[in-house]
C-alpha cells in the first residue's frame, strides 16, 4: 500500500491529467443533445453522393415549418369567435319591464283593457328584441361574420347579423310601434326600454382562445407516408424540393428511433470514444510540441476549461433556438489562447473544438468550414493584443469573413440570393460584438488561473510602476543596467521569434533583489569605497547570491506573475560567483564551490536563456576599456561559450542556430552602444 501511495505521489501530475481528461469527456458527452446521428450527410441543392437510397422502414413525411405555419394561419382565419348568452341578464330585463311598466303606464291614466293591450305589445316587442340576443356594437364584425353562441351549455353557429345591436334598438322600437298603431305611446315605450334594455350576449375571450388552442393542437406535423422499400433518391440526383423534405423526414424519424433505451448506452459509448480521441490528440500535441504547457497542470486545466465553455454555450443555444448558433463567439477561444500561449496552440485547440461541435449543429459541414476559416483569420489578424485598435480591426475582419462565406454557401444551395436571410448577417455582427468580450475575459482568466498575457506584460513594462520606481531610487545603477539588458534581450528575442515582450519584462525585474544591499554591487558604487573589502569572500559571495532569493521574495510580495519570477530565479542559473571564488581559492585551495554557486535552476525556456546571455554580456561589457570589433566579438563568444560548456542551456529548448543568432544581435548592439565605426584604409 505504501509503495502504491509513493508511486501515486510521484505521478500525481499524470494522475491529475487523467482525471481531468475523463471528467472533460463525461461533461462533453453529457452536454451533447440526446439524439442519434443520421449516417448520411446531405445538403439542399447538392448532389446525392451515396448509393441509391431505399426507405429502411415505414415513416411519415414531416411538414416543413412553413407548411405548419400556413395550416395554423388557415385555422386562425376560419376559427369563429365564441359568444356567451347570459340568461340572468335576460331575466333581469323582463323583471325590470314588469316593475317599471306601471310607472310609464299608470292605472289612473289608462283603463284596464287598454293597459293589458299595451302590456301585451310591450312583452311582444321585448321578445322580438331578445329572441336572438342583444350585443354591444363591434365594428370588427360584419353581418356575415360567423360566430358561435353558447346558451345553457348548448353551442350553435349563427351570423353576427342575427344579433340585435344596442344602436338598432330605437329603429326597432319605432318600426314596431308604427306597425301596431301605437304612435301616440312612442315616448313612453322609448323611455321604458331605455331604462331596462341591456346586452345579454358577450364575447367570451377565454373560451375562444381555448377552442382555438385545441384546434391548433390538432394540426398534424406529417403529410403522407413512405412505405418500406420505396426508392427515396438515386445516386447523382439533386437534393431539392420534395426529395429534400423526405430525406429530412427520414433523418428525423431515424434519430428518434435510434435514440431509444436499448441503443442509449451504445450511442453514449460511441460519443465517448470520439470525444476521447479528440482530447487525447490535444494532450499528445501538448506533450510533443508544448512540453512547458503539458507539465503545467494549471495551463492544461485552463485549455480544457475553455473547450468546455464553448461547447456548453453552443449546446445551450442549439437547445434553445438553433437559428442563433452563429451568435456564439467561438473565435474568442483562439484569441485568448494566443494571448496566453501561442498561435499554433490556439488554432489547434479551436479546430478540435469545432470538430466536436460538428456532432450537434445542423449543416455540420457548413458550420465547421465557417468556424475553422474564422479561427484561421483570428490567428492571422490578431497581433499585439495590448494595442486596443488591433482587436477591433481583427473582429471586423472575422465578421466580414463570416458574412462572405455564408453568402457563398447560400448561393450554392439556393442558386440565387433573392430570399437570403438577412437576419443571419445581423447574427454575425452580434458574434463580432461578443468577441470583444475577450478583453475582460483575459483579465478574469489571469486572476483565476494565474496566467500572464501581453496586456499585463505591457503594464509591467512601465518604468513608472511602483517596483521599478523604487529600484530606480534605491539602486540607479542596477536600474540602468536592467534597461540595457532589456533592450539587448528584446532585440535577441525578436531575432529568433521568442516572446519579446515577456523577455523585456523579465529583464526589467531580474535584479530587483539588489535593492536590499545596493552598494554591494559595483554598478551602484559611486565612491572608491568598496564594502566587500571589509568582508570575507564567503560573506561577499553570500550577499551577491542572495540577491536572487531576495528578488524572488520581493517579487512575490508585490504580486509579480510566476512567469516573470522565473527570470529572477534563473538568470544566473547554477553559475559561480567567480571573482570571490577565485579570491577564496587563492587563500585556501580546499574551498567548496557550492558556497560560491547560485542555487539555480538553470533556464528552461528560450526567453530565460536569452536573459542569461544578455545579462552576462551587458554586465561584463562594463570592464571593456578600448573595445573594438574584434574585442567585442571575442568577448561575446567567450561568455556565451562558457555558459554552454557549463550546461546552462540544457533545459532551455534552444538550438545552436538560435544561440548563434542571439550572439550576432548582442555583438551588433554592443557595437552600437560603444559607437564603433568601421575603420577604412587611408
Amino acid at each position: 500500500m505504501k509503495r502504491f501511495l509513493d508511486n501515486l505521489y510521484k505521478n500525481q501530475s499524470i494522475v491529475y491529467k487523467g482525471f481531468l481528461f475523463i471528467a472533460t469527456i463525461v461533461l462533453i458527452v453529457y452536454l451533447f443533445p440526446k439524439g442519434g446521428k443520421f449516417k448520411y450527410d446531405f445538403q439542399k441543392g447538392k448532389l446525392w453522393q451515396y448509393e441509391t437510397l431505399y426507405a429502411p422502414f415505414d415513416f411519415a413525411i414531416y411538414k416543413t415549418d412553413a407548411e405548419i405555419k400556413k395550416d395554423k394561419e388557415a385555422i386562425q382565419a376560419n376559427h369563429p369567435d365564441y359568444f356567451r348568452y347570459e340568461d340572468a341578464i335576460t331575466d333581469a330585463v323582463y323583471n325590470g319591464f314588469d316593475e317599471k311598466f306601471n310607472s310609464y303606464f299608470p292605472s289612473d291614466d289608462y283603463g284596464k283593457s287598454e293597459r293589458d293591450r299595451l302590456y301585451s305589445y310591450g312583452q311582444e316587442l321585448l321578445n322580438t328584441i331578445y329572441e336572438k340576443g342583444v350585443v354591444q356594437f363591434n365594428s370588427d364584425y360584419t353581418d356575415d361574420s360567423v360566430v358561435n353562441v353558447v346558451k345553457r351549455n348548448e353551442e350553435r353557429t349563427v351570423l353576427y347579423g342575427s344579433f340585435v345591436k344596442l344602436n338598432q334598438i330605437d329603429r326597432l322600437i319605432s318600426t314596431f310601434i308604427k306597425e301596431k298603431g301605437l304612435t301616440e305611446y312612442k315616448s313612453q315605450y322609448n323611455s321604458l326600454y331605455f331604462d331596462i334594455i341591456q346586452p345579454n350576449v358577450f364575447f367570451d375571450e377565454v373560451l375562444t382562445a381555448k377552442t382555438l388552442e385545441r384546434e391548433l393542437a390538432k394540426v398534424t406535423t406529417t403529410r403522407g407516408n413512405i412505405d418500406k422499400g420505396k426508392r427515396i433518391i438515386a445516386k447523382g440526383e439533386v437534393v431539392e424540393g420534395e426529395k429534400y423534405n423526405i430525406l429530412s423526414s427520414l433523418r428525423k424519424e431515424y434519430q428518434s428511433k435510434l435514440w431509444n433505451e436499448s441503443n442509449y448506452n451504445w450511442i453514449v459509448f460511441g460519443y465517448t470514444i470520439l470525444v476521447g480521441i479528440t482530447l487525447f490528440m490535444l494532450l499528445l500535441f501538448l506533450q510533443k510540441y508544448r512540453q512547458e504547457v503539458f507539465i503545467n497542470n494549471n495551463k492544461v486545466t485552463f485549455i480544457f476549461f475553455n473547450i468546455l465553455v464553448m461547447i456548453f454555450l453552443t449546446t445551450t443555444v442549439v437547445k434553445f433556438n438553433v437559428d442563433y448558433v452563429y451568435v456564439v463567439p467561438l473565435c474568442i477561444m483562439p484569441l485568448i489562447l494566443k494571448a496566453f500561449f501561442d498561435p499554433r496552440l490556439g488554432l489547434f485547440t479551436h479546430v478540435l473544438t469545432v470538430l466536436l461541435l460538428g456532432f450537434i449543429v445542423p449543416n455540420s459541414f457548413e458550420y465547421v468550414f465557417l468556424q475553422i476559416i474564422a479561427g484561421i483569420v483570428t490567428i492571422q489578424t490578431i497581433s499585439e493584443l495590448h494595442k486596443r485598435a488591433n482587436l477591433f480591426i481583427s473582429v471586423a475582419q472575422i465578421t466580414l469573413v463570416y458574412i462572405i462565406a455564408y453568402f457563398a454557401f447560400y448561393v450554392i444551395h439556393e442558386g440565387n440570393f433573392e430570399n437570403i436571410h438577412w437576419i443571419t448577417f445581423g447574427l454575425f455582427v452580434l458574434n463580432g460584438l461578443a468577441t470583444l468580450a475577450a478583453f475582460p475575459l483575459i483579465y478574469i482568466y489571469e486572476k483565476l488561473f494565474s496566467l500572464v498575457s501581453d496586456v499585463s506584460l505591457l503594464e509591467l513594462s512601465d518604468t513608472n510602476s511602483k517596483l521599478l520606481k523604487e529600484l530606480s531610487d534605491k539602486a540607479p545603477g542596477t536600474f540602468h543596467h536592467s534597461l540595457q539588458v532589456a533592450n539587448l534581450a528584446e532585440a535577441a528575442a525578436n531575432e529568433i521569434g521568442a516572446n519579446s515582450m515577456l523577455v523585456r519584462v523579465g529583464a526589467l525585474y531580474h535584479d530587483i533583489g539588489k535593492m536590499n544591499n545596493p552598494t554591494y554591487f559595483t554598478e551602484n558604487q559611486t565612491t572608491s569605497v568598496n564594502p566587500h573589502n571589509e568582508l570575507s569572500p564567503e560573506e561577499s559571495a553570500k550577499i551577491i547570491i542572495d540577491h536572487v532569493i531576495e528578488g524572488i521574495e520581493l517579487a512575490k510580495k508585490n504580486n509579480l506573475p510566476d512567469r516573470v519570477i522565473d527570470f529572477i530565479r534563473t538568470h544566473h542559473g547554477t553559475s559561480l560567483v567567480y571573482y570571490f571564488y577565485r579570491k577564496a581559492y587563492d587563500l585556501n585551495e580546499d574551498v567548496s564551490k557550492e558556497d560560491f554557486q547560485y542555487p539555480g535552476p538553470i533556464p528552461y525556456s528560450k526567453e530565460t536563456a536569452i536573459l542569461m546571455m544578455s545579462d552576462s554580456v551587458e554586465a561584463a561589457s562594463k570592464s571593456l576599456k578600448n573595445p573594438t570589433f574584434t574585442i567585442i566579438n571575442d568577448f561575446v563568444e567567450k561568455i556565451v561559450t562558457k555558459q554552454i560548456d557549463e550546461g546552462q542551456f540544457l533545459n532551455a529548448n534552444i538550438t545552436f542556430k538560435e544561440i548563434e543568432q542571439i550572439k550576432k544581435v548582442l555583438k551588433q548592439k554592443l557595437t552600437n552602444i560603444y559607437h564603433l565605426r568601421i575603420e577604412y584604409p587611408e
Side-chain angles (χ1 to χ4, degrees):
M1 184 67 180
K2 183 179 179 182
R3 187 183 222 176
F4 171 76
L5 293 175
D6 288 341
N7 289 332
L8 186 64
Y9 180 78
K10 291 176 183 176
N11 299 292
Q12 57 181 323
S13 179
I14 299 299
V15 172
Y16 174 79
K17 290 182 180 67
F19 172 77
L20 180 66
F21 176 74
I22 294 172
T24 306
I25 292 174
V26 171
L27 287 173
I28 291 175
V29 173
Y30 174 77
L31 289 172
F32 276 4
K34 302 302 183 285
K37 189 72 176 175
F38 191 48
K39 58 184 176 180
Y40 300 108
D41 190 19
F42 61 91
Q43 290 181 317
K44 188 176 182 181
K46 291 217 172 172
L47 297 178
W48 180 257
Q49 298 177 347
Y50 307 97
E51 296 298 326
T52 300
L53 178 63
Y54 297 91
F57 46 76
D58 297 340
F59 65 94
I61 303 174
Y62 286 89
K63 295 178 182 178
T64 64
D65 291 340
E67 289 174 329
I68 294 175
K69 183 180 179 182
K70 185 178 179 180
D71 290 346
K72 289 184 176 181
E73 287 176 348
I75 289 175
Q76 288 175 324
N78 297 318
H79 183 265
D81 287 341
Y82 276 76
F83 286 77
R84 185 171 296 279
Y85 191 95
E86 298 290 348
D87 288 324
I89 294 177
T90 308
D91 294 340
V93 170
Y94 277 92
N95 291 333
F97 176 81
D98 291 339
E99 292 173 0
K100 296 185 178 183
F101 181 80
N102 291 329
S103 300
Y104 293 96
F105 298 96
S107 56
D108 295 340
D109 298 336
Y110 302 94
K112 183 176 184 307
S113 60
E114 182 68 9
R115 288 182 72 254
D116 289 343
R117 185 173 70 89
L118 294 176
Y119 180 86
S120 175
Y121 282 136
Q123 284 278 4
E124 183 180 346
L125 176 57
L126 207 58
N127 291 336
T128 302
I129 294 174
Y130 280 94
E131 180 182 3
K132 300 293 185 180
V134 179
V135 296
Q136 186 76 43
F137 175 73
N138 190 331
S139 59
D140 292 339
Y141 301 96
T142 65
D143 288 346
D144 295 330
S145 298
V146 177
V147 297
N148 285 356
V149 180
V150 177
K151 184 177 182 180
R152 300 185 185 92
N153 294 325
E154 292 183 4
E155 178 184 329
R156 57 191 177 91
T157 302
V158 300
L159 294 178
Y160 184 76
S162 64
F163 296 130
V164 175
K165 288 77 176 177
L166 283 179
N167 60 357
Q168 297 175 342
I169 296 295
D170 284 343
R171 180 169 53 83
L172 192 62
I173 293 173
S174 298
T175 303
F176 182 84
I177 288 175
K178 188 176 181 180
E179 289 177 355
K180 300 299 182 181
L182 302 173
T183 307
E184 59 183 299
Y185 304 106
K186 181 177 180 180
S187 60
Q188 290 94 326
Y189 276 115
N190 280 337
S191 298
L192 173 60
Y193 287 116
F194 178 80
D195 279 351
I196 64 173
I197 294 295
Q198 54 182 311
N200 68 333
V201 177
F202 302 92
F203 172 63
D204 193 331
E205 184 177 0
V206 175
L207 182 60
T208 301
K210 189 179 293 184
T211 54
L212 176 60
E213 183 180 350
R214 189 165 58 241
E215 291 300 316
L216 291 176
K218 294 179 182 178
V219 174
T220 60
T221 57
T222 62
R223 51 171 179 80
N225 293 282
I226 299 295
D227 297 328
K228 180 179 179 180
K230 182 178 180 180
R231 191 181 78 173
I232 296 175
I233 191 169
K235 184 177 182 179
E237 286 190 89
V238 178
V239 180
E240 59 182 357
E242 187 65 10
K243 288 185 174 61
Y244 177 77
N245 293 335
I246 294 175
L247 283 171
S248 298
S249 301
L250 175 60
R251 176 171 59 190
K252 189 172 182 179
E253 193 71 21
Y254 181 87
Q255 291 173 345
S256 64
K257 284 180 177 293
L258 184 64
W259 196 266
N260 54 43
E261 190 172 342
S262 61
N263 296 327
Y264 180 88
N265 293 332
W266 283 109
I267 293 175
V268 169
F269 179 69
Y271 273 143
T272 302
I273 291 176
L274 293 176
V275 174
I277 290 174
T278 306
L279 296 181
F280 187 66
M281 291 301 104
L282 176 58
L283 288 176
L284 282 181
F285 176 85
L286 295 176
Q287 195 272 335
K288 187 169 184 178
Y289 298 107
R290 298 294 181 273
Q291 186 68 32
E292 72 282 1
V293 177
F294 181 77
I295 62 177
N296 190 318
N297 286 338
N298 185 51
K299 293 179 179 179
V300 175
T301 304
F302 173 71
I303 295 170
F304 276 58
F305 175 78
N306 274 275
I307 295 174
L308 271 174
V309 168
M310 288 302 154
I311 292 178
F312 170 75
L313 289 176
T314 306
T315 52
T316 301
V317 171
V318 168
K319 291 175 183 177
F320 173 72
N321 190 336
V322 74
D323 293 337
Y324 296 103
V325 70
Y326 285 112
V327 174
V328 180
L330 210 60
C331 289
I332 279 185
M333 185 168 65
L335 193 155
I336 289 177
L337 293 181
K338 182 180 179 182
F340 288 115
F341 304 112
D342 63 271
R344 185 179 295 181
L345 175 57
L347 181 59
F348 188 81
T349 307
H350 175 74
V351 170
L352 291 182
T353 305
V354 171
L355 291 177
L356 289 175
L357 292 175
F359 289 121
I360 65 173
V361 297
N363 298 325
S364 56
F365 173 78
E366 176 182 322
Y367 178 85
V368 169
F369 182 89
L370 281 174
Q371 296 294 3
I372 289 179
I373 290 296
I376 293 173
V377 171
T378 303
I379 294 298
Q380 298 273 12
T381 57
I382 284 290
S383 61
E384 298 181 314
L385 192 59
H386 54 276
K387 296 180 180 179
R388 290 170 295 179
N390 288 354
L391 179 61
F392 287 94
I393 294 171
S394 179
V395 166
Q397 292 173 327
I398 294 168
T399 304
L400 183 62
V401 167
Y402 269 129
I403 291 173
I404 293 174
Y406 173 78
F407 176 81
F409 269 112
Y410 190 89
V411 171
I412 291 172
H413 293 165
E414 302 295 333
N416 59 68
F417 56 88
E418 294 177 359
N419 298 317
I420 195 167
H421 303 129
W422 297 105
I423 192 173
T424 306
F425 296 146
L427 299 181
F428 291 136
V429 173
L430 289 176
N431 181 298
L433 294 175
T435 305
L436 295 176
F439 258 134
L441 271 178
I442 288 173
Y443 177 79
I444 293 171
Y445 282 148
E446 283 180 338
K447 302 304 178 185
L448 288 177
F449 292 92
S450 300
L451 298 172
V452 183
S453 68
D454 286 349
V455 179
S456 293
L457 291 176
L458 181 65
E459 294 174 355
L460 290 171
S461 67
D462 183 5
T463 54
N464 288 316
S465 64
K466 178 185 175 183
L467 202 54
L468 292 181
K469 196 79 172 173
E470 188 178 354
L471 178 64
S472 175
D473 293 338
K474 292 183 177 180
T478 299
F479 178 72
H480 180 71
H481 159 72
S482 298
L483 287 176
Q484 294 284 54
V485 173
N487 292 332
L488 291 174
E490 183 178 20
N494 284 326
E495 182 68 21
I496 67 169
N499 190 331
S500 59
M501 179 67 75
L502 176 62
V503 77
R504 179 175 182 84
V505 172
L508 289 173
Y509 290 90
H510 78 284
D511 271 344
I512 57 174
K514 293 181 179 180
M515 282 193 292
N516 292 347
N517 296 292
T519 58
Y520 285 88
F521 299 90
T522 56
E523 67 266 23
N524 299 311
Q525 294 171 2
T526 57
T527 66
S528 58
V529 178
N530 188 342
H532 287 289
N533 294 336
E534 307 296 326
L535 303 174
S536 66
E538 289 81 5
E539 290 174 324
S540 295
K542 186 176 186 310
I543 292 174
I544 299 298
I545 292 171
D546 282 351
H547 90 273
V548 173
I549 299 170
E550 291 170 358
I552 294 171
E553 293 174 352
L554 197 58
K556 289 183 177 179
K557 183 179 178 182
N558 286 271
N559 298 317
L560 288 186
D562 288 339
R563 290 178 74 185
V564 177
I565 296 176
D566 288 342
F567 288 90
I568 303 173
R569 187 180 287 117
T570 62
H571 74 278
H572 284 296
T574 55
S575 61
L576 285 175
V577 184
Y578 189 77
Y579 175 81
F580 292 108
Y581 169 72
R582 191 65 198 179
K583 190 175 179 181
Y585 183 82
D586 292 339
L587 297 174
N588 179 13
E589 292 186 1
D590 294 331
V591 67
S592 173
K593 272 191 175 184
E594 284 75 14
D595 295 336
F596 297 87
Q597 190 174 29
Y598 284 98
I602 60 177
Y604 43 82
S605 68
K606 291 180 181 180
E607 288 78 14
T608 51
I610 290 171
L611 177 62
M612 173 178 275
M613 287 183 265
S614 303
D615 180 43
S616 300
V617 167
E618 202 285 329
S621 69
K622 295 295 189 292
S623 64
L624 297 177
K625 301 300 181 184
N626 297 304
T628 64
F629 289 106
T630 304
I631 291 174
I632 289 177
N633 183 76
D634 295 341
F635 165 77
V636 173
E637 290 288 345
K638 178 182 176 182
I639 290 177
V640 177
T641 301
K642 181 183 178 184
Q643 292 172 336
I644 294 173
D645 293 340
E646 291 176 351
Q648 299 294 335
F649 305 136
L650 290 178
N651 297 335
N653 191 28
I654 192 169
T655 65
F656 283 112
K657 179 181 178 181
E658 289 170 333
I659 292 175
E660 289 299 320
Q661 290 174 297
I662 292 169
K663 289 193 292 186
K664 178 182 175 183
V665 171
L666 295 177
K667 294 170 187 177
Q668 181 183 353
K669 287 293 180 180
L670 286 178
T671 300
N672 294 336
I673 290 172
Y674 287 103
H675 305 290
L676 297 181
R677 289 185 172 87
I678 298 175
E679 298 178 1
Y680 294 99
E682 295 182 0

